[in-house]
Amino acid sequence: MKQLVIKEMESGQRLDKFLGKYLKEAPKSFIYKMLRKKNITLNGKKADGSEKLQKEDVVKLFLSEETLEKFCGTVKQGEKTALDIVYEDNQVLFINKPVGMLSQKAEKEDVSLVEYLTGYLLDTGSLTEEDLRTFRPGVCNRLDRNTSGLVAAGKTVQGLQALSQCFQERSMHKFYLTLVKGEVRKAAYIRGYLWKDEKRNRVVLCREKRQGSLPIETKYEPLAVSETGDTLLKVQLLTGRSHQIRSHLAGEGHPVIGDFKYGDAKVNEVYRRKYGVQHQLLHAWKLEFSQMEGALEKLSGRDVTAPVPKLFQDVLKGIKIEEMKR
């Protein structure tokens, strides 16, 4: 018999979801059969799997060692690298992701921020190897590989659920900094539709709705215009679609500098030769939280900000722009 006592980080999820993680190699039919036969119990009673787990709940598995070994499988460990943590509490943390790092795996063999996050939490003692059988930390927003800045992550089930809901309901304000081609003198609130070409991994900006397209809303405000006639923008993302900022600004005639998919090739080449820019100068800069409760209570009224990468800073200095703290 195996006894599992639910920890704070594991609470808030359904029993069947928890068992699916612990017995990750077992078919769902096996788990539900064991529940029906009371070979798996919750607090000494029969359960159907829909119960929400609470801290200190006791799950007992009346299964042989051979069965447990067969269905538990091996635990994948994290990877190690230095992470730029800009905020952390007992529920969540925010990482300043560098250019070149994946937010999540695209292919099975990839190593992403999630694996590095797992390694960090193991190193700091926030997680144990045994915890990884029933909980995997995860990120709540994704940035393109070549976009830097804030990625939000959950350290517990409650933190992960609350942050994910916050992004889905847009109950925080998301701001980016970007350098774009041309002079922008006035703030704007722009709307449109994005249609994604899956084969080319490219989105097309549409003024009118078309089949398969999604509505987008973006606000931007010029912070400074350089001697070269290019503009540092503060962008507020009101909807969060793939490539939204890059394609939307390109559609307005102000593509992001260094964007080799939607940008201006001649302008990009100038910045590549002069400053070594080989990726879009787009940075997820700040998240503003209003009144928060529960797992996110400590974020109430806070701003979480990620410093701009050195290359971006060097470019701004080179074109006589100082990053504005707004």
Side-chain angles (χ1 to χ4, degrees), residues 212-234:
S213 66
L214 295 170
I216 57 170
E217 298 178 51
T218 310
K219 284 185 179 180
Y220 63 78
E221 171 189 348
L223 299 183
V225 176
S226 73
E227 292 180 345
T228 59
D230 298 323
T231 306
L232 176 65
L233 291 183
K234 179 173 76 171

Short mmCIF file of all heavy atoms in Angstrom, two decimals, residues 212-234:
data_model
loop_
_atom_site.label_atom_id
_atom_site.label_comp_id
_atom_site.label_asym_id
_atom_site.label_seq_id
_atom_site.Cartn_x
_atom_site.Cartn_y
_atom_site.Cartn_z
N GLY A 212 -11.67 31.81 -39.84
CA GLY A 212 -10.47 31.36 -39.14
C GLY A 212 -9.66 32.48 -38.52
O GLY A 212 -8.66 32.22 -37.84
N SER A 213 -10.05 33.74 -38.73
CA SER A 213 -9.29 34.86 -38.17
C SER A 213 -9.75 35.16 -36.74
O SER A 213 -10.85 34.80 -36.34
CB SER A 213 -9.45 36.10 -39.05
OG SER A 213 -10.79 36.57 -39.02
N LEU A 214 -8.88 35.83 -35.98
CA LEU A 214 -9.17 36.18 -34.59
C LEU A 214 -9.02 37.68 -34.40
O LEU A 214 -8.10 38.29 -34.97
CB LEU A 214 -8.20 35.45 -33.65
CG LEU A 214 -8.31 33.92 -33.61
CD1 LEU A 214 -7.14 33.33 -32.83
CD2 LEU A 214 -9.64 33.48 -33.00
N PRO A 215 -9.88 38.30 -33.61
CA PRO A 215 -9.79 39.75 -33.39
C PRO A 215 -8.57 40.11 -32.56
O PRO A 215 -8.18 39.37 -31.65
CB PRO A 215 -11.08 40.08 -32.65
CG PRO A 215 -11.46 38.81 -31.97
CD PRO A 215 -11.03 37.70 -32.88
N ILE A 216 -7.97 41.24 -32.87
CA ILE A 216 -6.82 41.72 -32.10
C ILE A 216 -7.01 43.20 -31.76
O ILE A 216 -7.62 43.95 -32.51
CB ILE A 216 -5.48 41.53 -32.85
CG1 ILE A 216 -5.51 42.21 -34.23
CG2 ILE A 216 -5.12 40.06 -32.98
CD1 ILE A 216 -4.16 42.25 -34.90
N GLU A 217 -6.47 43.57 -30.61
CA GLU A 217 -6.51 44.96 -30.16
C GLU A 217 -5.15 45.30 -29.56
O GLU A 217 -4.64 44.57 -28.71
CB GLU A 217 -7.59 45.17 -29.10
CG GLU A 217 -9.01 44.90 -29.59
CD GLU A 217 -10.02 45.09 -28.48
OE1 GLU A 217 -9.99 46.16 -27.82
OE2 GLU A 217 -10.83 44.17 -28.26
N THR A 218 -4.58 46.41 -30.01
CA THR A 218 -3.26 46.83 -29.56
C THR A 218 -3.26 48.34 -29.35
O THR A 218 -3.78 49.08 -30.18
CB THR A 218 -2.18 46.49 -30.62
OG1 THR A 218 -2.31 45.13 -31.03
CG2 THR A 218 -0.79 46.71 -30.07
N LYS A 219 -2.69 48.78 -28.22
CA LYS A 219 -2.48 50.20 -27.99
C LYS A 219 -0.97 50.47 -28.04
O LYS A 219 -0.17 49.64 -27.60
CB LYS A 219 -3.00 50.62 -26.61
CG LYS A 219 -4.50 50.76 -26.50
CD LYS A 219 -4.86 51.29 -25.10
CE LYS A 219 -6.36 51.48 -24.94
NZ LYS A 219 -6.70 52.00 -23.59
N TYR A 220 -0.60 51.62 -28.54
CA TYR A 220 0.81 51.98 -28.45
C TYR A 220 0.96 53.48 -28.23
O TYR A 220 0.07 54.28 -28.54
CB TYR A 220 1.60 51.52 -29.67
CG TYR A 220 1.21 52.12 -31.00
CD1 TYR A 220 1.58 53.41 -31.36
CD2 TYR A 220 0.49 51.36 -31.93
CE1 TYR A 220 1.24 53.94 -32.60
CE2 TYR A 220 0.14 51.87 -33.16
CZ TYR A 220 0.52 53.18 -33.50
OH TYR A 220 0.18 53.70 -34.71
N GLU A 221 2.11 53.82 -27.66
CA GLU A 221 2.41 55.21 -27.29
C GLU A 221 3.89 55.47 -27.56
O GLU A 221 4.75 54.72 -27.09
CB GLU A 221 2.11 55.40 -25.80
CG GLU A 221 2.56 56.72 -25.23
CD GLU A 221 2.43 56.75 -23.72
OE1 GLU A 221 1.79 55.83 -23.14
OE2 GLU A 221 2.98 57.69 -23.11
N PRO A 222 4.23 56.50 -28.34
CA PRO A 222 5.64 56.79 -28.59
C PRO A 222 6.31 57.35 -27.33
O PRO A 222 5.75 58.22 -26.66
CB PRO A 222 5.59 57.85 -29.70
CG PRO A 222 4.24 58.49 -29.58
CD PRO A 222 3.32 57.42 -29.06
N LEU A 223 7.48 56.83 -27.01
CA LEU A 223 8.24 57.32 -25.88
C LEU A 223 9.35 58.27 -26.32
O LEU A 223 9.68 59.21 -25.61
CB LEU A 223 8.85 56.16 -25.08
CG LEU A 223 7.88 55.16 -24.47
CD1 LEU A 223 8.63 54.12 -23.66
CD2 LEU A 223 6.85 55.86 -23.59
N ALA A 224 9.93 58.00 -27.49
CA ALA A 224 11.00 58.85 -28.01
C ALA A 224 11.24 58.53 -29.48
O ALA A 224 11.04 57.39 -29.91
CB ALA A 224 12.28 58.65 -27.21
N VAL A 225 11.66 59.55 -30.23
CA VAL A 225 12.03 59.37 -31.63
C VAL A 225 13.54 59.61 -31.74
O VAL A 225 14.06 60.60 -31.21
CB VAL A 225 11.26 60.34 -32.56
CG1 VAL A 225 11.74 60.20 -34.01
CG2 VAL A 225 9.76 60.09 -32.47
N SER A 226 14.24 58.71 -32.41
CA SER A 226 15.69 58.78 -32.49
C SER A 226 16.16 59.75 -33.56
O SER A 226 15.38 60.24 -34.38
CB SER A 226 16.25 57.39 -32.80
OG SER A 226 15.99 57.06 -34.16
N GLU A 227 17.49 60.00 -33.55
CA GLU A 227 18.09 60.83 -34.59
C GLU A 227 17.96 60.20 -35.97
O GLU A 227 17.95 60.89 -36.98
CB GLU A 227 19.58 61.05 -34.26
CG GLU A 227 19.84 61.89 -33.03
CD GLU A 227 21.31 62.08 -32.76
OE1 GLU A 227 22.13 61.33 -33.35
OE2 GLU A 227 21.66 62.99 -31.97
N THR A 228 17.83 58.88 -35.99
CA THR A 228 17.68 58.17 -37.26
C THR A 228 16.24 58.17 -37.76
O THR A 228 15.96 57.66 -38.84
CB THR A 228 18.17 56.71 -37.11
OG1 THR A 228 17.39 56.07 -36.09
CG2 THR A 228 19.63 56.66 -36.74
N GLY A 229 15.33 58.70 -36.95
CA GLY A 229 13.93 58.76 -37.37
C GLY A 229 13.14 57.52 -37.02
O GLY A 229 12.05 57.30 -37.55
N ASP A 230 13.67 56.68 -36.11
CA ASP A 230 12.94 55.50 -35.65
C ASP A 230 12.40 55.76 -34.24
O ASP A 230 12.85 56.68 -33.56
CB ASP A 230 13.84 54.27 -35.69
CG ASP A 230 14.32 53.97 -37.12
OD1 ASP A 230 13.52 54.15 -38.05
OD2 ASP A 230 15.49 53.58 -37.29
N THR A 231 11.44 54.94 -33.80
CA THR A 231 10.68 55.28 -32.59
C THR A 231 10.68 54.15 -31.56
O THR A 231 10.47 52.99 -31.91
CB THR A 231 9.22 55.61 -32.96
OG1 THR A 231 9.20 56.62 -33.97
CG2 THR A 231 8.46 56.10 -31.74
N LEU A 232 10.91 54.55 -30.30
CA LEU A 232 10.74 53.63 -29.19
C LEU A 232 9.28 53.71 -28.76
O LEU A 232 8.79 54.78 -28.41
CB LEU A 232 11.65 54.00 -28.03
CG LEU A 232 11.50 53.16 -26.75
CD1 LEU A 232 11.91 51.72 -27.00
CD2 LEU A 232 12.33 53.76 -25.61
N LEU A 233 8.59 52.57 -28.81
CA LEU A 233 7.17 52.51 -28.45
C LEU A 233 6.95 51.74 -27.17
O LEU A 233 7.63 50.74 -26.91
CB LEU A 233 6.36 51.80 -29.55
CG LEU A 233 6.17 52.46 -30.91
CD1 LEU A 233 5.27 51.58 -31.77
CD2 LEU A 233 5.58 53.85 -30.78
N LYS A 234 5.97 52.20 -26.40
CA LYS A 234 5.40 51.39 -25.32
C LYS A 234 4.10 50.82 -25.87
O LYS A 234 3.21 51.57 -26.28
CB LYS A 234 5.14 52.22 -24.07
CG LYS A 234 4.52 51.40 -22.94
CD LYS A 234 4.41 52.19 -21.64
CE LYS A 234 3.27 53.17 -21.67
NZ LYS A 234 3.02 53.78 -20.33
#
